[in-house]
Amino acid sequence: MNIPNMLTILRILLIPVYLYFFYSSFQKNILFAGLIFILAGISDVLDGYIARKYDMSTKLGIVLDPIADKLMTFTILISFTTKGIIPSWILIALGVKEIMMILGGAILYLFKGKQVMPSNKYGKIATLSFYAATLSIVFKFPELISTVLFSLTVALNIIAFINYLIIFMKVKHNTVNDIVDK
């Protein structure tokens, strides 16, 4: 097990820690949960950087990394929705997108020679927007700013999904790497 994979597993293990703080009765529970979220985000950036820079990418990491990302995303969305911090339509919109991405990824992996859809700039921008929206809640930005950031996040995720859908449809005739590189 290499360092990037350990960092990805750490991210998964941070999910129950986030939930513990988020649902605790501590005075600044959302801030503490948010700090765990930031730590998870840092580990996400680090594992990708280390894997690319030192050529430490593995099949396990390629599969596990997006799973860790999706688990953390669902955790944030569900916890924010259950506490009434964000409206349920945001959970539904992003949840449907994530479920579709999981299904598409499973189809590629199982039926197209264990291919994995790599992340691209649209997905990264949508992820960055999600982090900004989440941190706007953690650091108690005005509600209007958080609402705008989450609405922007939904829009960017739809754009990213459409981009991934186009790539997915082209995979029927090519490999993912041939398409992504163009």
Side-chain angles (χ1 to χ4, degrees):
M1 172 113 11
N2 65 21
I3 292 172
N5 290 348
M6 286 189 270
L7 287 169
T8 300
I9 291 169
L10 171 66
R11 233 168 48 245
I12 293 169
L13 295 175
L14 285 174
I15 291 170
V17 178
Y18 164 87
L19 290 169
Y20 170 78
F21 282 109
F22 186 86
Y23 288 108
S24 74
S25 58
F26 297 139
Q27 188 172 2
K28 296 187 180 211
N29 64 323
I30 292 178
L31 176 62
F32 292 135
L35 294 174
I36 299 301
F37 175 66
I38 291 169
L39 180 60
I42 291 168
S43 74
D44 186 18
V45 171
L46 273 176
D47 82 61
Y49 174 78
I50 293 168
R52 283 186 299 278
K53 180 163 176 80
Y54 298 103
D55 195 27
M56 298 176 82
S57 292
T58 64
K59 284 283 187 187
L60 176 65
I62 290 169
V63 171
L64 209 53
D65 186 69
I67 290 171
D69 292 342
K70 298 204 183 324
L71 287 173
M72 183 56 85
T73 298
F74 275 121
T75 300
I76 298 292
L77 291 171
I78 292 168
S79 64
F80 279 16
T81 302
T82 60
K83 286 272 190 164
I85 296 170
I86 61 171
S88 59
W89 70 266
I90 294 172
L91 169 62
I92 293 166
L94 295 179
V96 166
K97 178 254 183 187
E98 292 298 337
I99 290 168
M100 296 296 289
M101 293 291 293
I102 291 167
L103 291 173
I107 289 168
L108 280 180
Y109 190 80
L110 296 172
F111 301 110
K112 284 300 265 178
K114 296 189 178 184
Q115 292 186 58
V116 177
M117 183 82 70
S119 62
N120 63 34
K121 65 182 174 185
Y122 299 104
K124 289 180 186 216
I125 291 168
T127 299
L128 184 62
S129 176
F130 177 74
Y131 273 81
T134 301
L135 293 176
S136 75
I137 299 292
V138 170
F139 294 115
K140 300 185 184 230
F141 285 29
E143 187 176 338
L144 177 62
I145 292 174
S146 296
T147 300
V148 168
L149 286 172
F150 269 104
S151 298
L152 178 64
T153 297
V154 170
L156 289 170
N157 270 275
I158 290 169
I159 292 167
F161 177 73
I162 291 168
N163 179 260
Y164 283 121
L165 185 60
I166 291 167
I167 293 169
F168 177 83
M169 298 308 263
K170 290 179 180 178
V171 168
K172 292 179 182 178
H173 304 291
N174 299 311
T175 66
V176 171
N177 291 333
D178 292 339
I179 294 166
V180 172
D181 291 340
K182 293 182 180 174

